Amino acid sequence: MLELYGMAGHLIRRLNQISVSVFNDRMREAGFDVTPVQFSALSVLSTNPQVDQATLAGLIGHDRVTMGSVLDRLHNKGLIERKTSPNDRRAKVLNLTDKGRNLLAQATPIVWALQTDILAGLNEDERSEMLRLMQKTVDAGNQLSRAPLMRPKND
């Protein structure tokens, strides 16, 4: 059983648990009701306005079905708006509301600050190296995901 503790999948799952816990604690302390996935959606919408749900899901590497409920919650909180697409009347395009832009502006510095806490125990050089290696691994395995990340064309 102890072999489990050295397996990549187990360690990645544990690091995700830690990351989500730290994020949720810091957001709650700051008075924000936003999850990591909701923050990701807001962040991507700030630089990619007028995208549809499927495109947004790809831009954050999240499955389309779950993205619908994430967007429902953001809409119910008044953080995004949905409008009929000028190109396809069946589709809705998404934009941040003023409330969404305001929350994002206030929450972003907090999210940057908590990054060090997520990688507690590592010095600055080690954090940089870990991020480099995680990025390399994520890039190499992107197409293995059930929700591959689709980078913006201008990235």
Side-chain angles (χ1 to χ4, degrees):
M1 174 108 154
L2 292 180
E3 290 176 1
L4 168 73
Y5 300 139
M7 292 181 174
H10 175 76
L11 293 170
I12 291 165
R13 182 185 62 79
R14 289 290 298 138
L15 189 54
N16 181 63
Q17 288 175 318
I18 292 164
S19 174
V20 170
S21 180
V22 169
F23 182 97
N24 289 339
D25 288 349
R26 297 304 186 287
M27 289 297 109
R28 193 171 28 257
E29 289 166 6
F32 298 123
D33 178 25
V34 64
T35 67
V37 174
Q38 291 171 357
F39 177 83
S40 295
L42 294 173
S43 182
V44 167
L45 281 175
S46 74
T47 56
N48 298 275
Q50 297 285 100
V51 297
D52 60 47
Q53 175 179 324
T55 301
L56 178 62
L59 289 170
I60 64 172
H62 210 70
D63 66 275
R64 293 178 186 185
V65 174
T66 305
M67 192 82 253
S69 60
V70 169
L71 295 173
D72 286 344
R73 286 190 286 281
L74 290 173
H75 184 259
N76 291 340
K77 293 176 185 181
L79 301 174
I80 64 165
E81 62 183 6
R82 294 170 163 154
K83 292 185 178 178
T84 302
S85 170
N87 303 328
D88 180 355
R89 298 178 71 69
R90 297 167 296 168
K92 300 283 186 189
V93 292
L94 308 165
N95 288 293
L96 294 179
T97 61
D98 288 341
K99 184 177 179 181
R101 279 186 286 280
N102 187 24
L103 182 145
L104 187 61
Q106 293 177 53
T108 297
I110 297 166
V111 173
W112 275 111
L114 65 82
Q115 300 305 303
T116 302
D117 295 335
I118 292 171
L119 298 177
L122 301 179
N123 65 38
E124 189 175 333
D125 289 340
E126 291 168 330
R127 284 192 304 270
S128 293
E129 181 64 4
M130 182 161 180
L131 290 172
R132 185 187 72 76
L133 292 171
M134 286 193 303
Q135 186 67 62
K136 184 177 181 178
T137 304
V138 167
D139 289 347
N142 188 47
Q143 293 308 313
L144 301 174
S145 171
R146 64 184 172 92
L149 180 71
M150 304 297 186
R151 291 194 182 273
K153 294 187 183 359
N154 59 358
D155 195 26

